[in-house]
């Protein structure tokens, strides 16, 4: 009887402690389940969550602004923007997205989304073939089994993603979101030693918007299927909220070390921003240089925001 009493006390104590689930996907702090796992690897801060737990959202604000804090949003910056504005908010006419940032939810609500990628905003105004094929992370729900499926494909716009996927599979899908960036093509170049080949055959030919060799802020998203479910890894180059300058190769190497099957790089330098809570519930902020960004990749559910 005494042993049983001691065992019950021990179980009660353990129930209030921080714990990880078997598939390492659900984290608990303060005995409250949340839908992401936060960790640091190679001086990068990584948020791991199920693919259906994110969405691109137009914010036109720095991620670590009072506006976002009041909303309680967690996440990282989205794709590319034509802004380096700091301090005063830029005028809408001078502030556009240069990569896809679309969600079905926001589009149905007539909220601001971006359905195409461009190389140069000035060429858009001149009508000189503005579209560019860029790596696009997508999520859809398979109506035959209700399972979410993720992938990365190079596309000019949302319709291009749908058309390419229909050619591959012969089916139309119910797309949940799309996020554009630069394609690492990890499915074609899966090894760390493939860097030079990827750089020459893909990166340079697709008109990159970032410098690959300079050490600066970096951000990106990797995908990985585990136990039948797709997970995303939202990454910024920062540890404990402090920026850590990295090369593009460092970011690519990280996604390979995480075992991601595909990944995209997002805007870097001062646009590389993140806001999240650590395992103890303390908010971590990596503000970059506090510049305004057009959209963020937001965690839909966390322990204190929905």
């Amino acid at each position: 009887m005494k042993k049983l009493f001691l065992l019950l006390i021990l179980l009660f104590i353990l129930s209030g402690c921080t714990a990880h689930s078997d598939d390492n996907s659900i984290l608990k702090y303060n005995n409250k389940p949340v839908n992401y796992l936060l960790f640091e690897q190679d001086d990068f801060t990584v948020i791991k969550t199920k693919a259906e737990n994110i969405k691109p959202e137009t914010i036109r604000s720095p991620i670590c602004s009072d506006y976002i804090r009041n909303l309680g949003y967690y996440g990282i910056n989205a794709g590319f923007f034509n802004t380096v504005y700091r301090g005063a908010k830029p005028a809408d006419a001078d502030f556009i997205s240069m990569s896809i940032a679309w969600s079905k939810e926001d589009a149905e609500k007539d909220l601001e989304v971006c359905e195409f990628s461009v190389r140069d905003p000035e060429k858009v105004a001149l009508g000189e073939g503005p579209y560019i094929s860029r790596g696009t992370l997508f999520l859809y729900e398979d109506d035959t089994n209700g399972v979410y499926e993720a992938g990365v494909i190079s596309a000019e716009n949302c319709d291009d993603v749908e058309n390419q996927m229909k050619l591959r599979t012969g089916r139309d899908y119910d797309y949940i979101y799309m996020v554009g960036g630069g394609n690492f093509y990890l499915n074609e170049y899966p090894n760390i030693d493939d860097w030079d080949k990827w750089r020459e055959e893909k990166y340079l030919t697709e008109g990159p918007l970032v410098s690959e060799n300079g050490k600066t802020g970096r951000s990106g998203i990797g995908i990985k299927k585990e136990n039948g479910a797709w997970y995303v890894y939202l990454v910024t180059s920062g540890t404990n909220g402090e920026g850590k300058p990295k090369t593009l190769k460092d970011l690519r190497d990280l996604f390979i070390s995480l075992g991601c099957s595909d990944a995209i790089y997002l805007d870097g330098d001062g646009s590389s921003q993140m806001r999240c809570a650590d395992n103890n519930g303390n908010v971590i902020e990596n503000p970059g240089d506090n510049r305004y960004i057009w959209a963020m990749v937001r965690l839909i559910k966390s322990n204190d925001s929905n």
Side-chain angles (χ1 to χ4, degrees):
M1 187 68 180
K2 183 177 181 181
K3 290 182 178 179
L4 179 60
F5 180 73
L6 292 175
L7 179 60
L8 290 173
I9 292 177
L10 179 60
L11 290 173
F12 177 77
I13 293 172
L14 289 175
S15 68
C17 295
T18 299
H20 298 274
S21 68
D22 291 340
D23 68 357
N24 215 26
S25 64
I26 302 297
L27 171 70
K28 290 185 178 181
Y29 54 76
N30 298 331
N31 206 31
K32 295 180 181 179
V34 295
N35 290 11
Y36 64 90
L37 175 67
L38 182 75
F39 61 94
E40 296 168 3
Q41 184 168 320
D42 300 334
D43 285 336
F44 286 94
T45 302
V46 183
I47 302 169
K48 175 186 176 183
T49 191
K50 284 190 174 181
E52 61 265 31
N53 191 40
I54 65 169
K55 69 183 289 282
E57 185 159 330
T58 303
I59 60 172
R60 292 181 174 269
S61 169
I63 283 183
C64 299
S65 63
D66 287 340
Y67 169 65
I68 298 301
R69 293 186 186 110
N70 290 335
L71 290 171
Y73 285 177
Y74 292 158
I76 68 171
N77 57 288
F80 298 104
F81 324 99
N82 71 320
T83 177
V84 291
Y85 293 97
R86 306 168 186 85
K89 183 177 181 179
D92 288 353
D94 298 325
F95 193 15
I96 66 170
S97 175
M98 295 180 68
S99 59
I100 296 170
W102 174 91
S103 75
K104 176 183 176 182
E105 176 187 348
D106 288 355
E108 289 180 342
K109 293 178 180 178
D110 290 326
L111 299 177
E112 188 175 24
V113 296
C114 183
E115 299 185 28
F116 56 87
S117 294
V118 299
R119 184 192 301 272
D120 185 342
E122 293 181 0
K123 290 185 178 180
V124 175
L126 296 173
E128 297 177 354
Y131 298 115
I132 181 172
S133 184
R134 290 204 172 279
T136 305
L137 166 66
F138 60 83
L139 181 79
Y140 64 83
E141 186 173 9
D142 192 329
D143 57 10
T144 63
N145 53 22
V147 173
Y148 290 100
E149 296 289 348
V152 171
I153 196 169
S154 282
E156 293 182 350
N157 51 56
C158 293
D159 288 342
D160 192 11
V161 173
E162 296 185 23
N163 292 336
Q164 288 192 58
M165 288 297 293
K166 187 172 184 179
L167 286 174
R168 291 185 182 187
T169 66
R171 295 182 56 194
D172 292 313
Y173 295 106
D174 183 15
Y175 289 88
I176 309 301
Y177 63 72
M178 300 181 192
V179 185
N183 198 340
F184 277 128
Y185 290 97
L186 293 189
N187 60 332
E188 297 180 39
Y189 306 87
N191 303 310
I192 289 178
D193 292 341
D194 291 333
W195 164 263
D196 289 334
K197 188 176 181 182
W198 167 79
R199 181 180 178 275
E200 295 298 322
E201 296 179 358
K202 298 293 186 181
Y203 176 78
L204 294 178
T205 61
E206 292 188 348
L209 287 174
V210 299
S211 168
E212 76 270 30
N213 295 319
K215 284 197 170 186
T216 186
R218 301 289 177 180
S219 55
I221 311 174
I223 62 172
K224 182 180 180 182
K225 199 166 191 177
E226 303 177 26
N227 300 321
W230 282 99
Y231 288 82
V232 292
Y233 292 80
L234 311 181
V235 173
T236 59
S237 54
T239 302
N240 294 322
E242 299 175 1
K244 299 286 184 179
K246 293 289 185 178
T247 65
L248 192 60
K249 185 176 186 302
D250 293 332
L251 179 62
R252 181 179 176 275
D253 289 352
L254 175 72
F255 286 127
I256 292 173
S257 70
L258 289 170
C260 293
S261 57
D262 255 316
I264 59 174
Y265 58 88
L266 305 172
D267 210 349
D269 195 29
S271 295
S272 181
Q273 301 175 18
M274 180 206 70
R275 185 173 189 273
C276 196
D278 68 14
N279 301 356
N280 296 313
N282 302 311
V283 175
I284 291 177
E285 293 188 341
N286 185 356
D289 62 6
N290 289 307
R291 72 179 62 178
Y292 279 75
I293 61 173
W294 194 84
M296 71 181 293
V297 180
R298 181 170 74 85
L299 289 167
I300 297 174
K301 296 180 181 178
S302 62
N303 80 306
D304 67 349
S305 64
N306 291 286

